[in-house]
Amino acid sequence: MSYIFHREPNVELPAAVQGDGPYLIDRDGRRYLDASGGAAVSCLGHSDREVIDAIKRQLDALPYAHTSFFTNEPAEALAEALVRQAPNGLSRVFFVSGGSEAVEAALKLARQYVVEIGQPERHRIISRRQSYHGGTLGGLSAGGNVARRELYAPILLDVSHVSPCYAYRGRHDGESDDAYAERLADELEAEFVRLGPESVMAFVAETVVGATLGAVPAVPGYFRRVREVCDCHGVLLILDEVMSGMGRTGTMYACEQEGIVPDLLCVSKGIGAGYQPLGAMLVHGRIYDAVVHGSGAFRHAHTFMGHATACAAGLAVQRAIAGRDLLPRVRSLGAGLLTRLRDRLGDHRAVGDVRGRGLFVGVELVADRESKRPFDPACAVHKRVKRASMARGVLCYPNGGTADGVRGDHILLAPPFIIEEPQLDTIIDVLGEAIDEATASAS
């Protein structure tokens, strides 16, 4: 009998008892190749000795000290490491314990900033449909995930949602990337005008859309146009890189590849690689200065922010990525993974699209390739693929509602940066077999 309130209480789960590189091992000794890093978390696998030893050393020295009394050395060093690698202008770090907390902090800091600069009428948030920004009420309000929002809709903030940059379904036939990006920028501009641009404080977007769409990067030029529209109206740009940041897409921050600098940047998951709960909000210098020279402090905090042991883990992860030169590896392995997945699944009758960036890849499943018609949601094809793949010893991250929030299925892959070529081959072979099995009788 379990006393845990599990995610799905009626689903019996195996008990994980050990990690071995990219593998998890259950109580019965069965090994599972973690092709999704959990939820794009375990970028260094499950048994990295350098990270584990760093945590042990920190526990011996100082597990925790409340940040209303002290700062601590690992937090200071990690903040410096994050800023030194960040796009120019992002100069301060606010530590939290996860991605939802990072987004919540960003929304609250955005509000405090506009008040500090004498624009208290700004309070509205614009985000995108088919996005996910966390499970807190603020993050869930900003998110555009229909299924996750539905139950809580009456208690959510009033947030506007515009179209995502989702080329597979959103770009018109014959429409160029430039034209598509311009059309979406025009839609955002129109929403600013509809709301009254003087009332809008922030636009929130995932740099590469994660769980809700399945590793969807924007078309070239989209984020540059978004940045221009936000700047035109004095609106803050908040980028959510909780999944796509910290090297997952081949650069430390995904926005580096877009050629823009956000005002606030949210990261988590890979920052601690699963060894400790950790997240962070990176803050542009002008926002920090406005708060410090205004009221003097950010009116928001958490008990475990800047946790010494968590930050020691995060610092060890950053040093491992840099010291082992893993980012070029993410780019090369990711390109190979995408090519081989397209070779294996590109003509599959149930695969509509294979997309991604770095070791962050999504496979969208369809009942009909020509019309892009999704499977009947009642079939829960994504869950079938997960079960079939797990039964074969490979873990993948599934989700539904891909097409419109209700219909559609995809599988997300985010293997550890330490993955080897033969293990990528195993992932591709098993995923192909699992999709064959899961879609054989679905419609």
Side-chain angles (χ1 to χ4, degrees):
M1 178 180 175
S2 175
Y3 293 91
I4 298 174
F5 196 151
H6 287 286
R7 288 172 177 247
E8 296 183 75
N10 295 322
V11 176
E12 186 174 350
L13 298 172
V17 297
Q18 189 177 353
D20 180 19
Y23 293 92
L24 286 164
I25 304 169
D26 71 15
R27 189 161 45 202
D28 297 323
R30 184 159 190 203
R31 296 168 66 86
Y32 303 85
L33 179 55
D34 189 358
S36 63
V41 174
S42 301
C43 57
L44 295 182
H46 300 281
S47 59
D48 193 285
R49 288 312 318 173
E50 290 183 17
V51 180
I52 293 168
D53 289 344
I55 292 170
K56 288 180 175 179
R57 287 193 301 271
Q58 187 59 44
L59 288 172
D60 284 337
L62 173 71
Y64 165 74
H66 197 279
T67 52
S68 68
F69 299 98
F70 297 98
T71 187
N72 62 77
E73 292 176 348
E76 295 287 353
L78 178 57
E80 181 179 358
L82 295 176
V83 167
R84 285 188 180 278
Q85 299 176 84
N88 187 41
L90 296 174
S91 63
R92 292 294 189 278
V93 179
F94 183 88
F95 286 116
V96 291
S97 297
S100 297
E101 287 185 10
V103 171
E104 197 80 6
L107 296 175
K108 293 178 78 171
L109 183 55
R111 172 58 186 167
Q112 183 170 343
Y113 170 72
V114 297
V115 172
E116 299 279 13
I117 63 172
Q119 298 178 7
E121 68 278 4
R122 291 188 183 270
H123 66 282
R124 291 188 176 277
I125 302 162
I126 300 176
S127 184
R128 303 189 297 183
R129 292 186 290 276
Q130 296 301 86
S131 61
Y132 182 62
H133 297 297
T136 58
L137 289 179
L140 195 60
S141 298
N145 186 306
V146 172
R148 295 178 192 251
R149 287 170 53 91
E150 184 179 20
L151 176 63
Y152 305 105
I155 59 173
L156 298 182
L157 302 174
D158 181 13
V159 173
S160 295
H161 293 86
V162 295
S163 299
C165 191
Y166 179 18
Y168 175 64
R169 292 190 180 274
R171 185 170 53 195
H172 297 159
D173 291 342
E175 188 175 33
S176 68
D177 286 347
D178 286 346
Y180 181 41
E182 192 66 31
R183 177 162 60 84
L184 293 179
D186 289 345
E187 181 185 344
L188 179 59
E189 170 83 28
E191 187 63 9
F192 283 163
V193 172
R194 186 186 74 82
L195 295 173
E198 70 286 346
S199 72
V200 181
M201 70 178 189
F203 176 61
V204 188
E206 293 168 274
T207 314
V208 179
V209 185
T212 299
L213 285 183
V216 173
V219 298
Y222 166 78
F223 274 109
R224 287 193 296 273
R225 286 292 294 118
V226 164
R227 178 75 270 184
E228 290 169 1
V229 173
C230 289
D231 288 344
C232 179
H233 295 289
V235 172
L236 297 179
L237 175 59
I238 301 173
L239 289 185
D240 177 345
E241 298 194 0
V242 168
M243 268 196 165
S244 62
M246 296 292 94
R248 174 55 61 187
T249 63
T251 51
M252 187 52 63
Y253 302 97
C255 60
E256 295 176 54
Q257 299 171 58
E258 307 298 340
I260 63 162
V261 180
D263 301 295
L264 298 167
L265 179 63
C266 303
V267 295
S268 185
K269 297 192 185 288
I271 189 174
Y275 290 86
Q276 288 282 282
L278 185 62
M281 170 182 63
L282 279 78
V283 181
H284 197 282
R286 78 175 191 284
I287 296 176
Y288 175 81
D289 290 343
V291 170
V292 171
H293 297 142
S295 60
F298 181 23
R299 299 181 190 177
H300 174 69
H302 289 286
T303 299
F304 295 111
M305 59 186 284
H307 192 283
T309 307
C311 288
L315 182 61
V317 170
Q318 300 313 303
R319 288 174 172 169
I321 291 173
R324 302 173 200 172
D325 204 20
L326 291 180
L327 293 184
R329 178 180 175 81
V330 171
R331 293 192 289 271
S332 62
L333 287 176
L337 174 61
L338 201 57
T339 297
R340 282 183 282 182
L341 276 171
R342 286 170 173 163
D343 289 344
R344 171 66 174 84
L345 299 172
D347 295 324
H348 194 287
R349 60 176 178 77
V351 174
D353 191 34
V354 179
R355 67 277 185 134
R357 186 182 290 172
L359 285 174
F360 195 45
V361 176
V363 178
E364 183 162 346
L365 307 172
V366 292
D368 181 76
R369 283 169 54 91
E370 185 174 349
S371 67
K372 304 180 183 178
R373 176 173 59 86
F375 285 101
D376 183 340
C379 294
V381 168
H382 59 287
K383 293 183 179 180
R384 293 187 184 189
V385 174
K386 176 188 176 183
R387 287 195 297 268
S389 182
M390 191 169 178
R392 291 168 170 81
V394 172
L395 306 178
C396 61
Y397 192 75
N399 217 327
T402 317
D404 57 14
V406 177
R407 302 176 307 144
D409 304 88
H410 71 260
I411 298 300
L412 185 68
L413 299 178
F417 301 171
I418 61 168
I419 201 84
E420 300 288 347
E421 295 276 359
Q423 294 161 342
L424 287 180
D425 291 333
T426 298
I427 292 169
I428 292 164
D429 290 342
V430 167
L431 185 62
E433 293 171 4
I435 290 173
D436 288 341
E437 177 182 323
T439 60
S441 60
S443 61

